[in-house]
Amino acid sequence: MHGGDEVVAAPAGPPQPLDWKFSQVFGERIAGEEVQEVDIISAIEFDKTGDHLATGDRGGRVVLFERTDTKDHGVSRRDLERMDYPISRHPEFRYKTEFQSHEPEFDYLKSLEIEEKINKIRWCQTANSALFLLSTNDKTIKFWKVQEKKIKKISDMNLDPSKAVGNGSVSSSSNPKPCLVNGSSFDGSYNNLSNDFFPPGGLPSLRLPVVVTSQETNLVARCRRVYGHAHDYHINSISSNSDGETFISADDLRINLWNLEISSQSFNIVDVKPANMEDLTEVITSAEFHPTHCNMLAYSSSKGSIRLIDLRQSALCDSHAKLFEEPEPPGSRSFFTEIIASISDIKFSKDGRYILSRDYMTLKLWDINMDSGPAATFQVHEYLRPKLCDLYENDSIFDKFECCLSGDGLRVATGSYSNLFRVCGCAPGSTESTTLEASKNPMRRQLQTPTRPSRPLSSIARVVRRGSETPGVDTNGNSFDFTTKLLHLAWHPTENLIACAAANSLYMYYA
């Protein structure tokens, strides 16, 4: 090296594609087993730490899972990493508890049946080792507290422990001498009680039962609040705020802001309902709070646009701070244009810089500092374009697929048909595109996707990447099954672990 010269490190290239492996499955179906409608999973959500996972189903139940691989060492994974402790195992979860969150209801005023299906689950901040979460069906939101409670037992009675019946057992430690009314002890022995549990001559003093707390614990789920009667239309989204005090709920036409402690009232912050319903042109499809700025939230519409709003601007946020939409290519309009443009889900990246959106055909990544168009577009269902008529006839075109981002923001994922899901790299220069099947062999139906370099569309790095543009059969000749669809999935907040739902089964994969 010459004096004064500096070695400039070459810029790091895109990360290597991940090698996904099967981790766990809960509720695995036996071949030929019929799935009950109430058991189909309808919501999945990791908490912020990634130590807990919640699922909701169409039967109104919420099932909680907890991470176990970090507990074996007695210290947290973060501490182990700080100590340079070798951690070779992948994240593992176990069943924790479940509870009935919602029951079927009937709205007598509107003659409308309200099903118990869980639409969304969102975790709230934990406190005193208790877990808090929000769950919602079409009309009612509930705030749940899940906590370990010590089991209480009955002890300190006059009864002989071997003959005690009823609630609980008598503690072996409590066998004091019975006391007379005047306080002196009674030394007479009466171990052999009669069938009526009384000694000959009766008891000199009746000792009342005492409830004691044992060291055994069980998990108890309690509904702390019920937020109801605030939505005329079906709730499609709930989102917890970073301030830990408020959350939003959204239906087709309105977004309401709630305080967790107040269930009797909410504030309407977005209202897109026109004076005349015949003038209605778009509806709200999804809404989410910014992960760190408690005053900002985004919501998507059926026209394919995303609006970023700032709660500091006005009480009713009729005007948006930013609008993200992609101009429609000239001459491409058809009967299905608006249907397939409708956004079914949006997610903020962990740092809040990007918004990921999913419509029927594509997955789009938006930079909130660039509202001229998406930073990247991933084709997911382009091969279905010739089949749109059939998909419209069987209502599949209205399927609402969810999307998720990795904690490091380098990859995105979304579901598809035949229980397939796709993972795409979104780092600059990345061509990663992996298709996996929700089964114990995720690579069984791996689609061979030709690698193509990203092509910039303007001076800003806006790219279009191909996810899987294949016809109705994969490389193994298997036809795609439109009755099996992977709608719900979630990415662990800190690790490369994806949980996804295939009917009533919960699959987990790690890389």
Side-chain angles (χ1 to χ4, degrees), residues 205-480:
S205 176
L206 178 62
R207 188 173 296 278
L208 296 175
V210 176
V211 178
V212 296
T213 304
S214 71
Q215 294 305 308
E216 297 176 52
T217 62
N218 67 343
L219 279 162
V220 178
R222 282 181 50 230
C223 183
R224 296 287 304 277
R225 303 271 189 284
V226 177
Y227 314 91
H229 312 295
H231 288 277
D232 292 330
Y233 304 93
H234 290 177
I235 298 171
N236 55 48
S237 304
I238 51 175
S239 179
S240 304
N241 198 350
S242 58
D243 64 8
E245 297 178 359
T246 56
F247 71 94
I248 54 169
S249 58
D251 64 21
D252 291 343
L253 299 180
R254 293 188 177 97
I255 299 177
N256 292 333
L257 177 68
W258 301 82
N259 187 299
L260 282 167
E261 298 299 320
I262 303 169
S263 58
S264 58
Q265 66 173 342
S266 62
F267 298 95
N268 179 225
I269 55 174
V270 175
D271 189 347
V272 300
K273 184 178 181 180
N276 184 357
M277 284 296 281
E278 291 181 0
D279 299 330
L280 183 67
T281 58
E282 63 180 328
V283 295
I284 298 166
T285 56
S286 183
E288 181 157 315
F289 261 120
H290 191 282
T292 54
H293 298 325
C294 62
N295 57 288
M296 297 184 72
L297 62 96
Y299 69 91
S300 59
S301 83
S302 57
K303 279 193 168 180
S305 61
I306 301 170
R307 289 172 174 84
L308 193 67
I309 61 175
D310 191 337
L311 297 177
R312 297 171 297 184
Q313 287 184 343
S314 64
L316 185 61
C317 302
D318 288 331
S319 60
H320 49 264
K322 282 193 175 180
L323 174 66
F324 304 95
E325 59 184 355
E326 191 168 26
E328 188 182 308
S332 63
R333 190 165 187 80
S334 71
F335 172 76
F336 304 108
T337 300
E338 281 199 16
I339 300 175
I340 62 176
S342 178
I343 294 175
S344 54
D345 189 30
I346 60 170
K347 293 284 194 317
F348 273 100
S349 61
K350 197 173 183 180
D351 59 5
R353 171 70 186 271
Y354 296 95
I355 299 173
L356 182 67
S357 69
R358 171 68 205 265
D359 57 45
Y360 190 72
M361 305 297 282
T362 64
L363 197 58
K364 291 175 182 172
L365 189 69
W366 307 80
D367 185 336
I368 64 170
N369 295 335
M370 185 183 85
D371 52 10
S372 57
T377 299
F378 307 92
Q379 302 291 350
V380 179
H381 281 164
E382 189 61 32
Y383 68 91
L384 293 178
R385 200 171 285 277
K387 304 184 189 315
L388 291 179
C389 282
D390 297 335
L391 294 165
Y392 179 76
E393 288 295 323
N394 62 24
D395 285 345
S396 293
I397 201 170
F398 301 106
D399 288 335
K400 299 185 186 310
F401 292 93
E402 292 180 1
C403 58
C404 58
L405 294 100
S406 60
D408 55 18
L410 297 177
R411 293 171 182 87
V412 295
T414 191
S416 182
Y417 293 105
S418 301
N419 284 340
L420 300 177
F421 65 99
R422 303 199 168 117
V423 180
C424 301
C426 56
S430 174
T431 57
E432 179 179 356
S433 179
T434 309
T435 301
L436 303 112
E437 182 186 42
S439 68
K440 286 189 173 179
N441 181 12
M443 308 302 281
R444 183 170 69 91
R445 295 177 60 168
Q446 175 65 35
L447 302 177
Q448 303 301 317
T449 308
T451 304
R452 307 178 187 179
S454 330
R455 63 175 193 271
L457 299 183
S458 67
S459 56
I460 305 172
R462 188 187 309 156
V463 297
V464 176
R465 299 184 196 146
R466 307 296 178 182
S468 280
E469 289 187 35
T470 57
V473 294
D474 62 21
T475 51
N476 299 324
N478 299 315
S479 60
F480 287 105

Side-chain angles (χ1 to χ4, degrees), residues 8-208:
V8 180
Q16 291 296 312
L18 295 177
D19 180 23
W20 291 95
K21 297 182 179 67
F22 168 78
S23 173
Q24 289 172 282
V25 59
F26 295 94
E28 186 182 16
R29 247 182 11 258
I30 304 167
E33 181 187 354
E34 188 177 342
V35 179
Q36 299 297 316
E37 178 81 10
V38 293
D39 294 331
I40 295 175
I41 297 172
S42 56
I44 301 180
E45 184 80 2
F46 281 105
D47 71 349
K48 285 185 178 178
T49 64
D51 291 338
H52 294 93
L53 173 68
T55 66
D57 62 27
R58 294 188 183 180
R61 291 163 300 199
V62 171
V63 183
L64 303 185
F65 301 88
E66 68 176 346
R67 188 169 175 178
T68 57
D69 60 299
T70 56
K71 294 187 176 182
D72 298 344
H73 305 289
V75 289
S76 71
R77 187 181 183 91
R78 204 170 283 110
D79 293 335
L80 291 173
E81 289 170 348
R82 204 175 288 123
M83 294 185 297
D84 238 5
Y85 192 96
I87 302 171
S88 56
R89 286 185 296 174
H90 59 274
E92 290 181 356
F93 285 77
R94 73 176 176 199
Y95 169 86
K96 186 178 178 77
T97 188
E98 69 180 86
F99 55 91
Q100 188 72 33
S101 173
H102 287 72
E103 301 278 359
E105 301 172 56
F106 191 81
D107 187 333
Y108 293 97
L109 291 175
K110 297 182 179 178
S111 294
L112 184 70
E113 192 174 340
I114 304 168
E115 61 179 352
E116 65 271 34
K117 174 192 161 197
I118 305 294
N119 290 343
K120 295 287 178 183
I121 295 174
R122 289 292 179 267
W123 291 90
C124 302
Q125 290 183 0
T126 58
N128 301 327
S129 74
L131 302 173
F132 294 92
L133 51 91
L134 291 163
S135 62
T136 185
N137 64 355
D138 286 339
K139 294 289 182 181
T140 307
I141 307 158
K142 294 186 179 182
F143 183 45
W144 291 92
K145 178 182 181 180
V146 182
Q147 191 175 27
E148 283 193 347
K149 294 270 189 181
K150 290 189 175 180
I151 299 173
K152 292 182 177 180
K153 293 185 175 181
I154 295 175
S155 69
D156 207 7
M157 295 174 66
N158 289 110
L159 306 184
D160 187 334
S162 63
K163 298 180 180 179
V165 292
N167 306 333
S169 60
V170 182
S171 67
S172 57
S173 61
S174 59
N175 190 17
K177 289 182 179 180
C179 295
L180 298 175
V181 179
N182 61 8
S184 60
S185 62
F186 175 77
D187 292 322
S189 172
Y190 48 86
N191 289 331
N192 298 320
L193 301 182
S194 67
N195 288 338
D196 296 324
F197 300 113
F198 284 99
L203 284 173
S205 176
L206 178 62
R207 188 173 296 278
L208 296 175

